[in-house]
Amino acid sequence: MSELFKQAISKSRIMSESSKLPEGEIALITESEQVKLPQKKYFRQRAHSNPLSDHELDYPSNPAQMNWSQHYPKYITEEAQVKQVEVVDIGCGYGGLLINLASILPNTLSLGMEIRVKVSTYVRTRISKLRLQQSLQESAAGKTEVEEKKGDYQNIACIRANAMKHMPNFFRKGQLSKAFILFPDPHFKKQKLKWRVVSPLLLAEYAFVLAPDALVYTITDVLEVHEWMVKCFQEHPSFERVPASELADDPCYKATFVTTEEGMKVARNGGEKHPAVFRRIAD
């Protein structure tokens, strides 16, 4: 290990970086260790969770009460807010898309919302480690500010939250420019259709927090769920489907196919993926 790298991970540096991590996250790094990313096998949890049950969740009474500084310390402090969250990944899973959004949308704050305890903890830990890892590498290599913007992971965060219940608690009217609903739980049983993350009732809430011309990206490997989502969006007066021809050069659209754990699993098994993107129509 070079002397320069040893200096970069000195105790004072680690303590400085640790103070920027989300609450509950601690960087356990010594001078003789490199930053190690968390392993999924220690954070496995059942795929399905009842979104209508009373989970123990922390959420603000309204968007003005939300403290974003602990999640985006580079851009938001308790005294000033340079940026606001504009992109949300609903049910972000293990954060595959979210991590990629850091570089796809480098000047935008993106948020993953995940209801499962272990999974959301994994994503937060992963982001914290990536931030620290990137910071140490930049210090050692002497990267410029321009290069730093390519992916320091300061523009992404994850919270444990129930998007089906509390979207208006976190976001103001018209705040979001993009939303992602990727490989959602299918909930096949008739009595569980109300558990689906896309429904006529929920689309009204999504429409409230989405700005005019905002895009909602959906994809699933279950044809029935795809048809259900398309039907819900097309029948709702606040949305219209975006033609495939307009999406050919959209990096976010391309990322929905290949960045998530579920998407990669479908590809390995030779399954089909059914995408659809919808635009928020101005009221």
Side-chain angles (χ1 to χ4, degrees), residues 5-264:
F5 187 76
K6 287 181 179 180
Q7 294 175 2
I9 57 175
S10 63
K11 291 181 180 179
S12 60
R13 178 66 176 173
I14 297 306
M15 292 178 64
S16 174
E17 291 299 328
S18 297
S19 65
K20 301 178 184 178
L21 301 179
E23 289 183 356
E25 305 293 348
I26 302 176
L28 300 177
I29 311 298
T30 69
E31 292 184 357
S32 61
E33 294 178 320
Q34 293 185 10
V35 181
K36 295 182 179 179
L37 297 181
Q39 299 181 49
K40 291 180 185 175
K41 63 182 180 180
Y42 298 120
F43 297 87
R44 291 294 178 185
Q45 190 171 351
R46 60 179 297 182
H48 306 295
S49 178
N50 181 358
L52 302 184
S53 66
D54 293 325
H55 297 271
E56 294 183 3
L57 299 169
D58 292 325
Y59 57 91
S61 58
N62 60 73
Q65 300 300 316
M66 180 60 187
N67 178 16
W68 293 110
S69 62
Q70 60 181 313
H71 302 288
Y72 305 96
K74 180 176 180 179
Y75 299 102
I76 301 173
T77 66
E78 294 185 2
E79 293 77 26
Q81 181 168 332
V82 178
K83 294 178 179 288
Q84 65 177 6
V85 176
E86 296 181 34
V87 176
V88 62
D89 184 3
I90 298 173
C92 67
Y94 288 91
L97 173 70
L98 191 61
I99 299 301
N100 280 269
L101 288 178
S103 56
I104 294 174
L105 303 172
N107 299 313
T108 302
L109 298 189
S110 300
L111 178 73
M113 302 180 76
E114 173 58 50
I115 196 172
R116 292 170 291 172
V117 179
K118 290 184 179 180
V119 179
S120 59
T121 299
Y122 168 84
V123 180
R124 290 197 303 273
T125 304
R126 185 181 179 188
I127 293 172
S128 297
K129 299 289 187 177
L130 286 169
R131 287 178 179 180
L132 181 55
Q133 186 181 71
Q134 186 69 16
S135 178
L136 296 177
Q137 290 175 353
E138 289 170 359
S139 296
K143 290 190 176 182
T144 64
E145 291 185 5
V146 175
E147 291 173 320
E148 181 180 332
K149 292 181 181 179
K150 290 182 178 179
D152 60 4
Y153 304 102
Q154 296 288 343
N155 62 329
I156 59 172
C158 174
I159 60 174
R160 182 173 179 245
N162 188 343
M164 292 177 62
K165 285 186 174 183
H166 302 135
M167 289 284 278
N169 293 82
F170 290 99
F171 309 115
R172 300 190 308 275
K173 180 179 180 180
Q175 179 174 336
L176 302 178
S177 62
K178 295 181 187 293
F180 296 86
I181 303 175
L182 311 185
F183 301 97
D185 291 341
H187 297 305
F188 292 110
K189 295 181 179 179
K190 185 176 181 180
Q191 63 269 30
K192 290 187 176 181
L193 291 180
K194 59 188 176 183
W195 289 16
R196 288 184 172 177
V197 73
V198 171
S199 69
L201 182 61
L202 285 172
L203 289 189
E205 290 203 1
Y206 298 159
F208 177 81
V209 298
L210 289 166
D213 295 324
L215 298 179
V216 181
Y217 300 78
T218 72
I219 192 170
T220 177
D221 59 321
V222 181
L223 182 58
E224 177 189 335
V225 175
H226 168 70
E227 293 173 343
W228 164 273
M229 291 193 292
V230 170
K231 180 176 183 295
C232 289
F233 274 101
Q234 289 186 330
E235 291 181 352
H236 197 284
S238 295
F239 295 95
E240 63 180 3
R241 188 165 184 178
V242 178
S245 58
E246 294 184 23
L247 302 169
D249 298 322
D250 185 344
C252 291
Y253 176 69
K254 295 176 181 178
T256 63
F257 287 83
V258 297
T259 58
T260 68
E261 184 180 64
E262 286 297 319
M264 290 185 281

